[in-house]
Amino acid sequence: MDGETRSGIFGSRHRQGFFLMEALLLTLIIALAAASAVPVYSEWEDEKRLDLAAAEACALIRSAQQEAKNGTAAISGGGIEEITVRFAPSGGRVKYSTVRGVYSIKPSGYLPKGIVMNTTAQINFKKDGFAGGSGDYSFILFNEKRTKGRRITVAMYTGRVRAEDFIS
């Protein structure tokens, strides 16, 4: 009887150990799958953040266009109404502001975290259309690693705004 009891006990222990190995192997497989999915998710998240920032920048520019077209000459002296949208690097982020003549107006704020740009962009609009020079109608937003970018372009004569992939 002792022999039967021992074999029953050893058989039970052996099965528990086998189950433990299966559980450890399954945990390892899940951990490896999750580790390989994190970089893919991170790239996707960067791409979506960049798309969101580009869409927000385009919307701000369109809003300034409409404000300039619909506005009245609020500048003292009755000069031509002009709205300026500025995008500038500020503390590792991109700050945007809108100016009517010499007065700051809304909207102003920051594009999402993780979005950067190399230079300052200033786009001017007046009541009858675009008021900038030839170099003032395009700028590029980058993700934090500068591996992906979106070029924001304002057509000088039509005033259309578009965002497209930028490949360096």
Side-chain angles (χ1 to χ4, degrees):
M1 232 191 224
D2 261 346
E4 289 177 18
T5 307
R6 283 187 183 162
S7 68
I9 291 172
F10 288 130
S12 174
R13 284 185 186 164
H14 179 69
R15 181 65 193 143
Q16 285 177 352
F18 185 70
F19 180 72
L20 178 61
M21 288 299 284
E22 288 174 336
L24 288 174
L25 184 61
L26 184 62
T27 304
L28 178 66
I29 291 170
I30 290 171
L32 288 173
S36 66
V38 168
V40 172
Y41 176 75
S42 177
E43 286 179 27
W44 176 84
E45 190 177 33
D46 278 354
E47 188 83 22
K48 293 303 167 198
R49 184 179 298 119
L50 191 56
D51 286 341
L52 174 67
E56 187 174 347
C58 288
L60 290 164
I61 293 167
R62 288 183 189 111
S63 173
Q65 283 176 317
Q66 284 306 117
E67 184 71 25
K69 286 179 183 178
N70 297 336
T72 59
I75 302 169
S76 59
I80 296 174
E81 172 82 7
E82 190 167 296
I83 302 286
T84 302
V85 181
R86 291 187 185 117
F87 295 90
S90 175
R93 295 188 64 189
V94 176
K95 182 178 182 176
Y96 61 86
S97 60
T98 311
V99 177
R100 170 183 277 145
V102 294
Y103 303 105
S104 292
I105 60 172
K106 291 185 178 182
S108 63
Y110 291 89
L111 292 179
K113 287 183 180 179
I115 302 300
V116 295
M117 63 188 301
N118 293 339
T119 61
T120 299
Q122 179 171 310
I123 303 168
N124 303 317
F125 297 99
K126 55 186 177 181
K127 193 167 184 74
D128 62 351
F130 187 69
S134 61
D136 297 337
Y137 60 89
S138 180
F139 63 95
I140 302 167
L141 299 174
F142 294 98
N143 65 345
E144 208 164 21
K145 298 173 188 171
R146 297 181 193 272
T147 56
K148 298 183 186 296
R150 296 290 181 275
R151 180 185 304 273
I152 311 299
T153 306
V154 181
M156 285 181 65
Y157 298 107
T158 63
R160 290 189 178 140
V161 183
R162 75 171 181 224
E164 58 191 358
D165 289 345
F166 173 76
I167 301 168
S168 55

